[in-house]
Amino acid sequence: MQKFTTFLGSLFAIAFLVGLAFTLTRSSMIGFFDVLPVYILMGIAIFMMIYEAFFDKK
């Protein structure tokens, strides 16, 4: 049950972060290269969240 809730929470957080990043690209005044650092940081944050939730078991 704990793995399921961890997976579900991670899925909701990833959906929120990806939605937030995609919302920035909808503006006509913001170009792709303006949002590229946001995509990079979101990718790093998602990777760290998944690593912490599933692989870092000490």
Side-chain angles (χ1 to χ4, degrees):
M1 188 66 176
Q2 185 179 1
K3 279 222 182 255
F4 176 71
T5 55
T6 303
F7 176 74
L8 191 63
S10 298
L11 191 67
F12 283 141
I14 290 170
F16 173 75
L17 291 174
V18 169
L20 187 66
F22 279 134
T23 302
L24 291 173
T25 60
R26 297 285 180 184
S27 175
S28 62
M29 295 171 33
I30 300 175
F32 175 75
F33 291 109
D34 297 330
V35 186
L36 189 61
V38 175
Y39 284 140
I40 292 170
L41 288 175
M42 291 295 173
I44 291 170
I46 289 170
F47 172 75
M48 288 172 55
M49 181 179 58
I50 290 173
Y51 178 77
E52 180 74 25
F54 293 108
F55 300 116
D56 190 30
K57 303 291 184 192
K58 290 185 179 180

